[in-house]
Amino acid sequence: MTAVAAEADSVATGLGHPANSGDLANPGDPARPAGSADTADPAEGAVRLPGGLVVRRHTAPGFTVDILAAGVGPAAAAAATATALAVASGSRSDSASGPASGPGSGSPDALSPDAPASGRPYDLVVSAGIAGGFAPRAPLGSVVVADSVVAADLGAQTPDGYLAVEELGFGRSTHPVAPALATRIARALADGGRPAVVGPVLTVSTVTGTAARAAELAGRHPGAAAEAMEGFGVAEAAAAYGVPVAEIRAVSNAVGPRDRAAWRIGEALAALRDAFRLLGSTVFVDPEGIPQ
């Protein structure tokens, strides 16, 4: 699950699947939407979902990956992830009623032709994309593997400081990533020559743009490695369906003062592509470490 098309293209290309756009060659505008019907050709492994979403399917020996650009922010990410999981769940329960209609049909059967052995709609949901990195822990171009997915601004401001939603008694703001899964992903990347930073990835609805805000988040979440906008929404939807979640981010900028001239979006997209190239021959083929 990514936010925008350029990220989805990086993931697809890393897995050996053709990109649907020229964004990898011209990454200066990563916000081109990809969740609409005119951005993917059903003849090339795309499946239309309710709401105009389009899943791109990559099938390789031993595994299948469905790639969906959900839109920016935790709400869009949660809605799109839940839609895909609901359709996939429906395809499993309805599979006995008739044959799959094929890619691009929009039918539930088209999204999930083979139910995972776990009985879940998918074996794993991954939130992936570019992100801001907390310096010096996660420098530009590095890859971050989440050991927890944290809604960093889900709570309340009080005269005595910030209170997380748990302290208010209203829910949760953190989804831990299974330690064996985070370790397996990080080890696969390191073995492939791309060591990763492992730590909390924060989800925010407003990207940090000042040093004061960066310091506040770092102080509130010790060890935080990166800041992005979708992970917690993806994790909430995955948890509702009992599917393990991971988050993988490539760092395009430092968390702090907004300086577009210092952004390295192209480098981050290339790092994301390389990360999924490595995972496509390791973790996705051999699900060791994925909770069953």
Side-chain angles (χ1 to χ4, degrees), residues 118 120 122-126 176-178 181 234-235 238-239 241-246 289-292:
S118 63
R120 300 183 294 246
Y122 289 96
D123 285 320
L124 177 66
V125 172
V126 180
V177 176
L181 175 58
V234 173
Y241 283 86
V243 181
V245 70
I290 298 177
Q292 299 300 313

Side-chain angles (χ1 to χ4, degrees), residues 204-215:
V204 296
S205 294
T206 302
V207 172
T208 297
T210 67
R213 172 67 169 165

Side-chain angles (χ1 to χ4, degrees), residues 3 7 72-74 127-134 150-153 200-208 225-232 247-250 255:
E7 296 168 326
V72 175
S127 178
I130 61 176
F134 284 90
V150 182
D153 51 11
V201 175
L202 309 186
T203 300
V204 296
S205 294
T206 302
V207 172
T208 297
E227 169 193 274
M229 301 183 74
E230 293 78 34
F232 188 79
E247 185 165 9
I248 301 168
R249 295 284 174 174
V255 177

Side-chain angles (χ1 to χ4, degrees), residues 137-138 143-148 177 179 181-187 189 195-201 223-226 247:
R137 187 149 193 243
V143 173
V144 173
V145 175
D147 62 10
S148 61
V177 176
L181 175 58
T183 298
R184 173 75 171 116
I185 292 171
R187 186 172 70 238
L189 295 176
V197 178
V198 179
V201 175
E247 185 165 9

Side-chain angles (χ1 to χ4, degrees), residues 43-114:
E44 296 183 1
V47 180
R48 303 183 193 280
L49 300 184
L53 298 168
V54 176
V55 165
R56 284 187 271 170
R57 166 157 291 172
H58 171 78
T59 301
F63 71 98
T64 296
V65 174
D66 287 341
I67 304 167
L68 174 61
V72 175
T81 305
T83 297
L85 289 166
V87 171
S89 294
S91 73
R92 288 189 6 254
S93 62
D94 296 341
S95 60
S97 63
S101 301
S105 68
S107 72
D109 291 326
L111 185 57
S112 184
D114 298 308

Side-chain angles (χ1 to χ4, degrees), residues 156-275:
Q157 293 286 354
T158 77
D160 297 321
Y162 176 84
L163 293 177
V165 71
E166 289 92 341
E167 298 173 273
L168 301 172
F170 293 147
R172 61 187 170 194
S173 63
T174 299
H175 283 279
V177 176
L181 175 58
T183 298
R184 173 75 171 116
I185 292 171
R187 186 172 70 238
L189 295 176
D191 290 347
R194 184 168 284 279
V197 178
V198 179
V201 175
L202 309 186
T203 300
V204 296
S205 294
T206 302
V207 172
T208 297
T210 67
R213 172 67 169 165
E216 177 189 352
L217 289 174
R220 191 189 305 159
H221 304 284
E227 169 193 274
M229 301 183 74
E230 293 78 34
F232 188 79
V234 173
E236 279 283 284
Y241 283 86
V243 181
V245 70
E247 185 165 9
I248 301 168
R249 295 284 174 174
V251 176
S252 60
N253 59 279
V255 177
R258 189 173 175 83
D259 179 9
R260 290 181 67 102
W263 294 357
R264 297 294 181 266
I265 292 174
E267 294 176 19
L269 290 172
L272 186 66
R273 183 169 67 246
D274 191 49

